[in-house]
Amino acid sequence: TDFIDVLCDNFTRYQRHIDGKYQIIPREKQKRFLEKIVSSEECFHFSEVGSGKTKVILPLLCQLFLSNNTEAHQCLARGGAQKDVLVILVPEHLVPDARTQVFRYCLNLNFREEYRIYDDIFALLHDDVQLRNGFATKRSHAGYATHTTRRPAMKQIFITSFNQYKKALTYDEICAKVQPHREQILVVVDEVDDFLDRDKLVFNICSNKNNSFEKQILDHYYQISRAVYQGKDCPKECKESADNPEYWGHLHDKLGAIHDEIQEKSKSINKSFGIFNEQTLRHCTTNVTHDVEGYKSLIARPYESVNRAMPGSYYSDVERTIYLTYYILMEDVAKYDELFQQERKFISFEYFTEHMPHLDYDDLVYGNDPLSSLVVKHPETKDGLTKFLYEIILRRMEIRDKSRSVNSIDIVFNFDCIGFTGLSLIHI
């Protein structure tokens, strides 16, 4: 209590005057709330809206952390190791205000110790930003290292938003620094009710990479898909010429089951989005969009499957997507008119001679007839044209490389946390 009173007095004294008055003078209620946050066993606390949590309590907490008061740091340790890293988490709209307050009251606060304040959690990607005890290197004026001495871990404060912190924890480079040091990290959460909101708990991210299908593999996928669509057995050439004939046999059975599933559950094809039914949308019943930039003219997928880490979702199965691509080429060829118009100039004369010799080559390559019209006028060209597009689509298909998912609950369980909110009820 005595230290907090002294801290608040200094907080008042060392700030700018406006019209001869101090800008902010901590009230007695704010002092006791700060004491409660620091010393009580509970993690999260309530204080009414407008009580100065961001403008007063937050910078005072940072000053307390930067102090050398032994009792204060014992409280901040929360029964664990002494903390040398403070992470301030606030909602996105409060980041500028929180940054301003912490910079105003904590920069140039303690000239006897070296400490750092970062307004970007991704500073952890830099090699010079480390979260550990280390060695300080003394350098001459010319920049040459003279000697190295052991030093304790430097105190550091990071100010960031909820999602930026979750996103940072999806980076391997940052996790490699944070994970072994997490016992020395204290997370302070402003608006903790928003942080634990059930609709905002999870941050997902996935990265994709281009596939490397060889020409023979593309031919096998086409032949298997075609055989399944026509109700035929697995083509012999797939079993005889492939290095792994068992895979193609199993794939034929799997695609056959998918084909039967389509017939049973949804015979209709949405012109804009592909084949959707209750089963395909079970992971995203309220948030479906066509990823126009990445998959325009290709098979559409639920938003979560393309842009988020949703293991097990309907379209996260690459082989299912491969077959549905062929299925839509057969059932809704007009969907690919735009793609065909972009790619028709790349039809080689050899491919034309093998698959569509009865057409005029120049009209096919440089003409303007859409794919759907050509197929209607010349049904015998459908196999050759769809195979041409099918290979293009499969080459463009991206394979999920890494998926990451960080939950607010993960942060609470893995770090020592304290926080406060203006709402009396927290729904989890």
Side-chain angles (χ1 to χ4, degrees):
T1 301
D2 293 339
F3 176 71
I4 288 178
D5 288 338
V6 173
L7 181 70
C8 291
D9 288 342
N10 290 334
F11 178 84
T12 303
R13 184 179 301 116
Y14 298 108
Q15 60 175 289
R16 293 177 298 177
H17 279 65
I18 295 181
D19 297 330
K21 298 180 180 179
Y22 293 117
Q23 264 188 295
I24 299 176
I25 301 176
R27 301 189 301 270
E28 187 64 28
K29 191 173 182 179
Q30 291 172 330
K31 296 178 183 179
R32 303 290 74 83
F33 183 60
L34 176 62
E35 181 182 357
K36 180 181 178 182
I37 292 173
V38 174
S39 59
S40 65
E41 293 183 2
E42 294 80 10
C43 294
F44 304 129
H45 306 273
F46 164 75
S47 180
E48 62 272 12
V49 176
S51 60
K53 294 184 292 296
T54 304
K55 290 187 177 296
V56 182
I57 302 300
L58 192 58
L60 281 171
L61 265 173
C62 292
Q63 287 192 354
L64 187 144
F65 168 75
L66 293 173
S67 74
N68 295 323
N69 186 274
T70 303
E71 184 180 356
H73 277 279
Q74 286 176 348
C75 293
L76 293 180
R78 303 193 63 78
Q82 184 167 322
K83 309 306 180 195
D84 53 49
V85 177
L86 190 70
V87 179
I88 307 296
L89 299 185
V90 298
E92 191 71 39
H93 67 281
L94 289 181
V95 170
D97 194 17
R99 181 194 304 126
T100 299
Q101 294 302 108
V102 175
F103 280 177
R104 176 178 296 166
Y105 294 105
C106 296
L107 286 178
N108 301 327
L109 180 68
N110 187 344
F111 292 99
R112 294 182 179 179
E113 290 188 4
E114 186 178 5
Y115 62 91
R116 296 284 186 272
I117 300 176
Y118 301 95
D119 62 352
D120 184 3
I121 192 67
F122 288 98
L124 285 168
L125 290 172
H126 200 284
D127 291 340
D128 289 342
V129 181
Q130 299 293 332
L131 305 179
R132 52 181 167 78
N133 294 332
F135 294 87
T137 301
K138 183 74 173 178
R139 295 183 178 276
S140 66
H141 292 292
Y144 299 106
T146 57
H147 64 276
T148 300
T149 58
R150 181 85 182 175
R151 69 177 183 186
M154 178 176 59
K155 292 178 182 177
Q156 299 174 87
I157 297 177
F158 295 88
I159 309 161
T160 189
S161 67
F162 301 155
N163 274 347
Q164 283 294 94
Y165 189 54
K166 295 175 188 175
K167 181 179 180 180
L169 294 177
T170 66
Y171 284 69
D172 291 335
E173 300 92 331
I174 292 179
C175 286
K177 294 180 179 181
V178 170
Q179 200 277 336
H181 199 78
R182 58 183 178 175
E183 291 292 331
Q184 288 80 37
I185 298 175
L186 178 65
V187 176
V188 177
V189 185
D190 191 358
E191 304 293 353
V192 69
D193 61 293
D194 194 29
F195 180 66
L196 295 176
D197 189 298
R198 64 165 62 95
D199 295 325
K200 304 175 185 177
L201 277 177
V202 182
F203 180 87
N204 295 304
I205 189 169
C206 67
S207 59
N208 297 333
K209 63 179 180 180
N210 294 328
N211 70 71
S212 55
F213 291 137
E214 298 177 356
K215 182 66 169 64
Q216 184 184 29
I217 301 298
L218 293 175
D219 288 340
H220 289 345
Y221 275 125
Y222 177 79
Q223 292 171 16
I224 294 289
S225 299
R226 185 168 179 264
V228 169
Y229 182 79
Q230 296 178 352
K232 297 180 179 179
D233 294 334
C234 183
K236 291 183 179 180
E237 52 268 31
C238 290
K239 293 184 176 181
E240 294 174 354
S241 61
D243 295 332
N244 51 346
E246 291 185 0
Y247 167 75
W248 298 105
H250 291 312
L251 180 65
H252 180 272
D253 296 338
K254 177 179 178 178
L255 299 188
I258 294 172
H259 182 82
D260 294 339
E261 176 186 306
I262 295 170
Q263 311 312 310
E264 293 175 3
K265 295 190 176 181
S266 175
K267 187 60 178 173
S268 63
I269 300 178
N270 183 296
K271 298 289 185 181
S272 299
F273 297 107
I275 305 171
F276 285 167
N277 54 44
E278 184 179 357
Q279 177 70 8
T280 66
L281 301 181
R282 70 185 186 276
H283 290 292
C284 46
T285 55
T286 60
N287 187 12
V288 180
T289 184
H290 189 165
D291 184 2
V292 177
E293 296 302 320
Y295 292 91
K296 190 174 182 180
S297 300
L298 308 181
I299 187 167
R301 311 178 192 192
Y303 175 81
E304 281 86 348
S305 296
V306 175
N307 296 298
R308 299 186 181 184
M310 297 290 289
S313 62
Y314 190 78
Y315 288 99
S316 64
D317 184 337
V318 175
E319 292 166 345
R320 182 185 296 274
T321 300
I322 285 174
Y323 180 69
L324 293 180
T325 299
Y326 181 86
Y327 190 91
I328 295 179
L329 270 169
M330 294 293 103
E331 299 280 338
D332 187 19
V333 70
K335 178 178 176 62
Y336 297 95
D337 281 344
E338 183 178 351
L339 178 63
F340 177 71
Q341 189 61 33
Q342 296 170 1
E343 302 293 334
R344 63 194 305 169
K345 59 182 174 289
F346 298 112
I347 298 177
S348 66
F349 186 76
E350 291 76 10
Y351 188 88
F352 161 79
T353 303
E354 181 180 356
H355 296 281
M356 297 156 281
H358 43 279
L359 296 180
D360 181 81
Y361 180 71
D362 289 340
D363 287 344
L364 175 65
V365 175
Y366 304 110
N368 293 312
D369 287 343
L371 174 66
S372 52
S373 298
L374 286 173
V375 169
V376 171
K377 293 178 183 177
H378 308 283
E380 64 278 10
T381 65
K382 187 172 184 178
D383 273 350
L385 291 173
T386 53
K387 182 180 181 182
F388 171 72
L389 289 179
Y390 184 77
E391 292 185 1
I392 290 175
I393 294 169
L394 262 60
R395 288 191 186 280
R396 290 188 182 184
M397 184 182 299
E398 293 182 336
I399 307 301
R400 179 168 296 157
D401 182 21
K402 293 181 179 179
S403 298
R404 296 286 189 273
S405 177
V406 178
N407 194 308
S408 296
I409 305 300
D410 295 332
I411 294 175
V412 173
F413 283 169
N414 283 279
F415 299 92
D416 284 326
C417 296
I418 57 176
F420 37 85
T421 179
L423 294 181
S424 56
L425 295 176
I426 300 177
H427 300 284
I428 302 179

